[in-house]
């Protein structure tokens, strides 16, 4: 709930999530916590009109693979 102290109005949002019975690799408390976190996140997105199109959860955060042409840079090449 967001309260506007200047004109005494409120805006309330609710975040609801249905958690699956099981999810591979997560315990029951982890599953409940992750569902609760997402529900709160989307409730706040709605309340504050936050665009989550650049959501960190939707990005590919895997480390880039080394190619044959890449090489290790020696310390002497970069003295800082």
């Amino acid at each position: 709930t967001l309260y506007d102290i200047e004109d005494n109005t409120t805006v309330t949002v609710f975040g609801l999530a249905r958690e699956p019975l099981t999810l591979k690799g997560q315990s029951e408390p982890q599953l409940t916590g992750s569902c609760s976190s997402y529900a709160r996140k989307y409730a706040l997105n709605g309340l504050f009109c936050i665009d989550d199109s650049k959501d960190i959860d939707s990005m590919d955060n895997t480390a880039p693979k080394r190619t044959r042409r890449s090489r290790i840079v020696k310390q002497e090449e970069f003295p800082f």
Side-chain angles (χ1 to χ4, degrees):
T1 302
L2 181 66
Y3 298 96
D4 186 337
I5 60 173
E6 292 180 2
D7 63 6
N8 292 325
T9 58
T10 62
V11 177
T12 302
V13 296
F14 296 94
L16 303 173
R18 182 185 153 273
E19 64 182 64
L21 296 176
T22 60
L23 188 62
K24 187 175 180 177
Q26 286 192 341
S27 67
E28 288 182 16
Q30 289 173 320
L31 186 58
T32 299
S34 64
C35 289
S36 175
S37 294
Y38 276 104
R40 287 190 314 270
K41 172 186 171 182
Y42 288 110
L44 290 171
N45 285 354
L47 180 63
F48 294 107
C49 299
I50 298 171
D51 177 17
D52 67 344
S53 61
K54 293 184 179 180
D55 183 8
I56 192 73
D57 293 331
S58 66
M59 295 180 176
D60 180 9
N61 295 319
T62 57
K65 294 181 181 179
R66 286 185 63 177
T67 63
R68 289 183 183 192
R69 294 183 180 187
S70 64
R71 64 183 180 91
I72 305 297
V73 177
K74 294 181 182 179
Q75 181 70 30
E76 305 88 54
E77 292 182 53
F78 293 100
F80 43 85

